Amino acid sequence: MTARGIGCDRRVIIACRVMEPELARVLEEERDEGVEIVYLDQALHRTPTKLLGQLQEKIDRYAQTAERIILGYGLCSNGVVGARAERQELVIPRCHDCIALFLGSPSRYQEVFHQKPGTYYLTPGWIAEKKDPLGIMEENMAKFDRETAEWVMEEELRHYTHIALIDTGVEAMGTLRQRAMENAAVLKKQYEEIPGSLDYFRAIVRGPYSPDHFLRIRSGEALTQEMFF
């Protein structure tokens, strides 16, 4: 995509790669050449202290060419706290957990969470990136023996009772369902599927950035934890 100067309504979205299936579908629907999406490694959600540095580097890189920068992140364990755009407005979803994006709204996430608070959620992107529990176990086997890797994951998920696959409608469910059900079986959790939505992703791409769903941060102002409450 050819870079254009500020004032041409060029929007740059910096997002976690786990959202790529949904954002790619929305961008395909929109066919808006004024939008560019830049993805960061999904594994950063497990090391939020490293997220800010990489996020800020991307914000600074596009400071001269974007009119508005939108983040495809929630609060993410405070990993976004301190991010700022010096030359343009910075927009970020008003949600603590990115699962709200896949369900369509913060209110829908709260509804689902209160129904089954002990739920570990999977999405097409989580499974594709092999960042589901079984994928993480496989990674850990390179560092530990199998028994230790299994114990680490069982400890991490010991307070969870369910594993739920969110169907956002962007991928065929057969292979995804098989992998999600395998996660539930190995980790001895109840399995279920939840209908997702692309509504939040559509709003990320095209707006409007309503105050109920987004924070709009003025140029030069840093994101703080308190803004999300």
Side-chain angles (χ1 to χ4, degrees):
M1 180 177 294
T2 302
R4 294 177 287 175
I6 294 177
C8 298
D9 194 29
R10 181 170 184 255
R11 284 153 289 150
V12 172
I13 299 167
I14 304 171
C16 177
R17 187 166 295 280
V18 74
M19 302 173 190
E20 186 171 7
E22 288 75 22
L23 285 171
R25 172 64 61 85
V26 171
L27 201 59
E28 183 180 296
E29 293 174 356
E30 294 297 309
R31 300 185 182 277
D32 187 342
E33 295 185 358
V35 178
E36 181 175 355
I37 303 179
V38 180
Y39 293 106
L40 295 183
D41 186 358
Q42 185 272 348
L44 288 169
H45 92 283
R46 296 180 68 83
T47 54
T49 55
K50 297 180 181 179
L51 173 57
L52 178 60
Q54 294 198 30
L55 190 61
Q56 190 63 55
E57 187 273 330
K58 295 297 184 186
I59 292 171
D60 294 344
R61 179 183 299 183
Y62 289 93
Q64 303 298 325
T65 56
E67 182 179 19
R68 180 182 288 124
I69 295 176
I70 304 104
L71 304 184
Y73 285 91
L75 182 57
C76 291
S77 300
N78 290 328
V80 301
V81 169
R84 70 175 74 209
E86 296 294 343
R87 294 176 57 87
Q88 60 274 97
E89 182 180 60
L90 186 65
V91 180
I92 184 169
R94 188 190 288 271
C95 56
H96 298 176
D97 192 317
C98 71
I99 296 302
L101 302 179
F102 295 95
L103 294 175
S105 70
S107 60
R108 173 61 178 154
Y109 174 62
Q110 287 300 316
E111 177 187 337
V112 171
F113 175 80
H114 286 301
Q115 288 173 356
K116 292 189 177 74
T119 299
Y120 189 101
Y121 298 96
L122 294 175
T123 72
W126 288 101
I127 293 175
E129 291 290 308
K130 294 186 177 179
K131 300 302 181 184
D132 56 331
L134 290 183
I136 296 169
M137 279 174 52
E138 290 162 8
E139 285 183 6
N140 286 340
M141 284 177 197
K143 309 173 195 175
F144 317 116
D145 58 83
R146 182 181 184 89
E147 183 178 353
T148 301
E150 289 178 352
W151 178 84
V152 168
M153 185 50 59
E154 287 171 359
E155 281 296 296
E156 188 169 330
L157 269 66
R158 65 193 178 98
H159 296 299
Y160 290 91
T161 57
H162 292 71
I163 286 181
L165 176 61
I166 301 175
D167 181 6
T168 55
V170 299
E171 302 279 1
M173 287 291 285
T175 302
L176 296 174
R177 181 180 293 116
Q178 182 179 355
R179 178 69 172 188
M181 292 179 73
E182 184 181 357
N183 273 270
V186 170
L187 293 161
K188 300 178 177 61
K189 310 297 179 185
Q190 295 185 53
Y191 174 75
E192 64 177 276
E193 291 177 20
I194 300 174
S197 170
L198 294 180
D199 288 349
Y200 221 144
F201 294 106
R202 291 188 178 104
I204 287 173
V205 171
R206 69 189 182 198
Y209 303 108
S210 69
D212 289 341
H213 290 77
F214 292 91
L215 294 168
R216 299 177 66 161
I217 313 303
R218 293 173 296 183
S219 60
E221 186 177 5
L223 273 166
T224 67
Q225 182 188 57
E226 290 74 21
M227 292 175 177
F228 289 84
F229 294 96

